[in-house]
Amino acid sequence: MIAPGATIGILGGGQLGRMLAVAAAQLGYRTHILAPDRESVAAQTASSLTRAEYDDRDALAAFAAACDVVTYEFENVALGPVEWLAERIPVHPAPAALRVAQERVAEKRFVEGLGGRPAPWAAIASRADLAAALERIGTPAILKTVRFGYDGKGQTVIREPADADAAWDAIGGPSVLEGFIAFAHEFSILIARGSDGGTVRYDAPDNVHVDAILRTSTLPAAAAVLAQVDEATALAGRIADELGYVGVLACEFFVGPDGPVFNEMAPRVHNSGHWTIEGAETSQFENHIRAICGLPLGTTALTGRQVTMRNLIGDDPWDGALTEPGAHLHLYGKGATRPGRKMGHVTTVTR
Ligand code: AMP
């Protein structure tokens, strides 16, 4: 067990790190952020900050010496530095989880090997591959970069075969083509797995995305989601077991005609779990800290009949939430407002 008083290192400086640092502080831990960004909203709530590139070996060595355990809040950290740290200090989730989640082809193969079903897909390395894949998968389809996509970045919809040239011009590199799933609902499974292999799971939220960015998570989810939750949860559990995972794991699914369609996994706390701060007995952030420090996991029961989380994106107004009954406002402390930028969120719990 890594006892309270110890220092938790966090790779990444965004709002997920910020909320992890708050949860860690509540349990008596210190946190140390390592991130290259000029603005780190995580550092505003953490105990220390090292502003450095992830591959800066001197900075990494000092970071390893200053921390008792390391986690990450951002899955696009290069694998090399994380593996380097893991040779010197406990890193959770283990780099194997990051390796799988960073690369869409590896992720889909891994999940298929565990009995999961992604949308029909093909690995694409050339314009000719794309033509062949479009023949097989048909349209509409989505072309996604193999690496470094988030919030809809690095993906483009191909509505009809004539869109293929424009899509290839936009992506133009290692990618996957996915059949478009005409789903009525999207949901996510969040589980926390402890170092003893025990897991807890959260109720599955119904997630609504607009322009590929999460807008709302609502609980309880629609009946169509609830009917697929057990199968999706079992898959998330197999993923976590296979990876020897420690921490919070998020898996996103579409409600498919014959069961859950796996979209992607995130080896970290997740935006569709922000509602757990007030809407569950133990938040995803606290359970992640508990897991990586070897503490018992907390219960995840809903605290109300209904819970809704809405993201504040770009210049969405936030002040109305201050007078809304049952609403909990979270602002991330970001300096500049930009269209599509997640600035905060509001969770409403109906008891
Ligand atoms: P991703 O970054 O891959 O999670 O995609 C972001 C969002 O785009 C998803 O949450 C969906 O709303 C949408 N999307 C991604 N892939 C597909 C697909 N194969 N079919 C339908 N919608 C998709």
Side-chain angles (χ1 to χ4, degrees):
M1 183 180 85
I2 294 164
T7 299
I8 299 168
I10 302 174
L11 298 171
Q15 63 267 21
L16 301 177
R18 178 185 178 91
M19 290 183 272
L20 280 170
V22 170
Q26 190 179 325
L27 291 176
Y29 292 97
R30 292 168 177 276
T31 46
H32 188 142
I33 306 294
L34 179 87
D37 320 82
R38 186 196 296 265
E39 177 188 61
S40 165
V41 298
Q44 295 170 7
T45 61
S47 320
S48 341
L49 166 70
T50 299
R51 188 178 159 206
E53 295 298 329
Y54 297 117
D55 60 1
D56 176 337
R57 284 290 150 90
D58 292 340
L60 279 181
F63 181 67
C67 298
D68 298 288
V69 57
V70 168
T71 190
Y72 39 91
E73 62 103 68
F74 175 60
E75 72 266 36
N76 292 334
V77 181
L79 195 57
V82 182
E83 288 177 329
W84 190 88
L85 282 171
E87 285 163 12
R88 289 160 177 82
I89 179 174
V91 174
H92 299 301
L98 199 57
R99 189 181 313 118
V100 168
Q102 277 184 343
E103 215 266 345
R104 290 190 192 272
V105 172
E107 181 183 41
K108 289 178 196 297
R109 288 203 178 118
F110 175 73
V111 167
E112 282 176 339
L114 296 172
R117 289 174 292 174
W121 66 279
I124 308 293
S126 66
R127 179 69 182 80
D129 287 349
L130 177 58
L134 280 169
E135 281 284 315
R136 180 165 69 77
I137 292 173
T139 51
I142 305 190
L143 188 64
K144 300 182 178 178
T145 53
V146 158
R147 287 173 172 275
F148 303 135
Y150 69 98
D151 284 352
K153 294 188 173 62
Q155 55 178 271
T156 180
V157 177
I158 301 179
R159 287 179 211 288
E160 49 188 86
D163 296 342
D165 280 331
W168 184 247
D169 285 347
I171 303 284
S175 45
V176 292
L177 184 74
E178 281 180 31
F180 191 88
I181 305 293
F183 57 81
H185 296 274
E186 270 186 273
F187 65 101
S188 48
I189 300 292
L190 284 118
I191 63 174
R193 187 173 183 276
S195 47
D196 62 355
T199 59
V200 294
R201 78 163 186 89
Y202 289 93
D203 284 35
D206 216 314
N207 299 324
V208 174
H209 292 77
V210 176
D211 297 332
I213 301 177
L214 183 68
R215 276 319 310 198
T216 60
S217 293
T218 306
L219 298 107
V225 170
L226 297 179
Q228 300 195 351
V229 159
D230 287 351
E231 186 179 336
T233 305
L235 176 63
R238 292 198 296 279
I239 292 172
D241 286 344
E242 185 71 20
L243 293 168
Y245 197 95
V246 174
V248 168
L249 169 71
C251 294
E252 294 184 90
F253 294 88
F254 309 125
V255 170
D258 354 278
V261 177
F262 172 86
N263 178 23
E264 61 179 7
M265 60 184 262
R268 53 169 170 78
V269 289
H270 194 255
N271 193 173
S272 67
H274 290 2
W275 63 271
T276 60
I277 297 176
E278 293 89 7
E281 283 181 1
T282 313
S283 78
Q284 62 164 347
F285 302 101
E286 179 172 341
N287 263 336
H288 187 77
I289 298 296
R290 289 186 186 215
I292 67 173
C293 292
L295 305 182
L297 301 178
T299 56
T300 57
L302 293 184
T303 59
R305 281 184 294 117
Q306 210 186 4
V307 183
T308 318
M309 187 286 312
R310 66 175 193 272
N311 272 335
L312 298 173
I313 296 171
D315 55 12
D316 284 351
W318 52 268
D319 47 344
L322 293 171
T323 50
E324 203 179 304
H328 301 271
L329 174 66
H330 296 255
L331 295 174
Y332 302 149
K334 295 184 182 179
T337 306
R338 284 195 299 273
R341 193 172 197 210
K342 291 174 179 169
M343 304 301 292
H345 72 267
V346 179
T347 299
T348 308
V349 180
T350 310
R351 291 182 209 273

